[in-house]
Amino acid sequence: DTEVTQTPKHLVMGMTNKKSLKCEQHMGHRAMYWYKQKAKKPPELMFVYSYEKLSINESVPSRFSPECPNSSLLNLHLHALQPEDSALYLCASSQGLAGTYYNEQFFGPGTRLTVL
Amino acid sequence: KNEVEQSPQNLTAQEGEFITINCSYSVGISALHWLQQHPGGGIVSLFMLSSGKKKHGRLIATINIQEKHSSLHITASHPRDSAVYICAPRGTGNQFYFGTGTSLTVIP
């Protein structure tokens, strides 16, 4: 299984809602990533988990809360979002963080989020 | 200040043409990733390389670490190659960098 899956594919939420995005991989990868991508822009790194511990937080607002319950799963909990948070949220995984070939990232299809 | 520069930003080619996309970076890197993103969002990893050259089918990626430059070549281009191609170097301290992407359209 060489796939990263993400659910849901699309999500529309109001500014007062609480929702979660889910990402799953069964490749035995120990590093998982959340990215945010606005239209016609490259992905922006949000969070990196390595061995289920938060390794990098790129100064993301607290209304985004990541969680890594086990080595195969990565969640992104959303609360009190703003319309400007509407974007494509991409999850990725890699074997690890260190070393050249461990770095290759495999991406999921993304969740397209619209905040009303 | 942009650590990664890609060129061209947009490229239109006739089917069958040889295509080159360039990536220059100003930081020290451990490896460089070439990614492909189709309309609709999904990102596919094409190559991860730290030296020399890699080939996969009609795609070839090269990197010159001393000159801080990488190229992605597509031979015998096809309309299904139409996508955004993103250069993503990995910094020596595990920093993540992304180019702004090259939007390729291949016309039948």
Side-chain angles (χ1 to χ4, degrees):
Chain A
D1 185 354
T2 58
E3 201 181 30
V4 177
T5 59
Q6 287 187 246
T7 54
K9 286 188 179 172
H10 300 273
L11 178 62
V12 179
M13 61 186 289
M15 289 190 282
T16 57
N17 291 159
K18 282 186 184 182
K19 296 285 184 185
S20 296
L21 309 184
K22 181 179 167 182
C23 173
E24 198 163 1
Q25 57 87 15
H26 296 287
M27 295 180 276
H29 289 176
R30 303 315 299 263
M32 295 185 77
Y33 312 76
W34 278 117
Y35 290 91
K36 172 183 176 180
Q37 188 179 28
K38 301 284 269 185
K40 299 192 186 297
K41 298 285 187 185
E44 298 171 34
L45 183 67
M46 299 174 73
F47 303 103
V48 181
Y49 272 82
S50 177
Y51 289 84
E52 298 155 52
K53 291 196 173 2
L54 185 62
S55 175
I56 296 175
N57 176 343
E58 291 286 355
S59 304
V60 179
S62 60
R63 57 186 185 268
F64 295 91
S65 174
E67 179 198 18
C68 189
N70 60 58
S71 59
S72 300
L73 267 178
L74 185 66
N75 298 320
L76 186 63
H77 303 297
L78 314 172
H79 175 53
L81 294 195
Q82 304 295 311
E84 59 264 29
D85 296 321
S86 298
L88 180 69
Y89 288 84
L90 292 157
C91 173
S93 71
S94 63
Q95 284 190 27
L97 284 184
T100 302
Y101 293 98
Y102 291 154
N103 288 345
E104 183 172 11
Q105 292 183 37
F106 295 81
F107 285 81
T111 293
R112 194 160 295 280
L113 174 68
T114 303
V115 182
L116 301 175
Chain B
K1 175 175 168 265
N2 204 357
E3 294 92 353
V4 185
E5 300 279 353
Q6 272 187 248
S7 63
Q9 281 191 311
N10 297 285
L11 180 57
T12 301
Q14 288 291 133
E15 183 173 355
E17 281 185 15
F18 180 85
I19 287 161
T20 295
I21 298 170
N22 294 300
C23 175
S24 295
Y25 51 90
S26 58
V27 293
I29 69 167
S30 58
L32 185 141
H33 217 158
W34 278 102
L35 306 168
Q36 179 194 57
Q37 187 170 31
H38 280 284
I43 290 181
V44 175
S45 169
L46 298 176
F47 295 104
M48 188 81 187
L49 68 168
S50 58
S51 65
K53 176 177 166 178
K54 281 192 174 181
K55 185 175 189 291
H56 182 73
R58 295 179 296 106
L59 300 177
I60 302 166
T62 64
I63 190 168
N64 186 319
I65 294 290
Q66 286 74 28
E67 294 186 5
K68 297 193 173 181
H69 183 267
S70 178
S71 293
L72 177 68
H73 307 283
I74 305 175
T75 60
S77 59
H78 190 277
R80 64 174 174 267
D81 297 326
S82 299
V84 175
Y85 292 84
I86 302 170
C87 163
R90 174 66 65 89
T92 50
N94 261 334
Q95 302 93 332
F96 292 74
Y97 302 103
F98 286 87
T100 51
T102 294
S103 179
L104 171 65
T105 303
V106 181
I107 299 169

